[in-house]
Amino acid sequence: MTGTPITQLDLSGFTPLDEFAWQDGNGIVLSLHYFDIPPDLPAPLESVPQLQAALARHTAAAGAGLFDCAVEPVDGVPAVRQLVKLTHPQGHGQVFIASCTVPRATCSTVLKLQAPERGMTGFREAIIMDRLGPAEFFRPSPYAPDLTGGLPAHRADEPQYDAEFPQHPLTLARQLMHRLLPTVRLDPRFKAEPAFA
């Protein structure tokens, strides 16, 4: 199989960048990936807390921060959905990466959204920190409470604040992922592959 096993996806609002990448009016880039090698997920999908903790540690070791991770089906196949933040490569603000990995025993497919901060950055964090105070604002990693390193976990990343910041890249990426995943359809040959163990 080449290209992508994702055969259907609602691309409303996106314009093509190339065969497997699109961009919307907010600058969010959607891309589809296929890897013809066994997935490198650090734990079985059935061991959700172990998987979440290992992914959080891996993300922190890369200097980023995992703050949302769940195992849920995509077109009936178990998948790993993640939300990660990393420092913008140009050193100004952050980039939010929403991804969904659909693993099989010997291959996987990934849907990824990249949502960079633009213009004034950090205002969501500043407003929530001012409201809660630093002691309430920062919190341990939700998946590995003893974790150090990477970008810190804090309350401003929580979905309860999305309505206050409807144009923030995190809000947009989270909403887009929830809109897109139910529209995904997978190639029957991919679905028939042995399950990831």
Side-chain angles (χ1 to χ4, degrees):
M1 187 179 300
T2 58
T4 174
I6 296 175
T7 59
Q8 187 176 316
L9 180 66
D10 179 10
L11 293 170
S12 303
F14 283 91
T15 55
L17 296 174
D18 61 35
E19 187 177 4
F20 299 112
W22 301 261
Q23 188 171 31
D24 74 0
N26 294 306
I28 298 178
V29 174
L30 161 65
S31 56
L32 304 179
H33 309 267
Y34 175 67
F35 301 99
D36 193 15
I37 55 174
D40 62 354
L41 292 172
L45 301 193
E46 296 78 16
S47 304
V48 176
Q50 180 185 351
L51 177 65
Q52 291 170 325
L55 288 170
R57 294 183 194 286
H58 174 78
T59 303
L66 171 68
F67 57 92
D68 187 9
C69 180
V71 174
E72 58 189 35
V74 172
D75 194 20
V77 179
V80 183
R81 178 179 51 77
Q82 300 181 69
L83 256 173
V84 170
K85 57 186 176 183
L86 58 147
T87 302
H88 197 291
Q90 296 175 357
H92 187 63
Q94 297 181 124
V95 180
F96 296 90
I97 306 290
S99 67
C100 185
T101 301
V102 188
R104 307 307 277 156
T106 61
C107 59
S108 65
T109 190
V110 177
L111 184 155
K112 182 167 76 170
L113 296 169
Q114 298 181 73
E117 283 190 298
R118 299 172 183 273
M120 186 174 67
T121 63
F123 64 90
R124 176 175 176 145
E125 293 82 356
I127 290 171
I128 302 304
M129 182 189 279
D130 185 61
R131 183 182 306 167
L132 300 177
E136 289 295 318
F137 179 75
F138 291 102
R139 61 187 181 113
S141 163
Y143 308 118
D146 60 338
L147 183 66
T148 57
L151 293 181
H154 56 65
R155 299 282 303 280
D157 292 334
E158 294 175 1
Q160 70 197 61
Y161 298 110
D162 286 354
E164 288 185 60
F165 305 95
Q167 291 303 307
H168 191 273
L170 171 55
T171 301
L172 296 171
R174 184 152 36 210
Q175 291 176 345
L176 263 177
M177 185 59 79
H178 286 299
R179 175 176 77 80
L180 291 170
L181 289 185
T183 75
V184 170
R185 295 298 175 265
L186 298 166
D187 189 308
R189 294 170 297 172
F190 178 81
K191 295 177 73 171
E193 290 281 341
F196 173 76

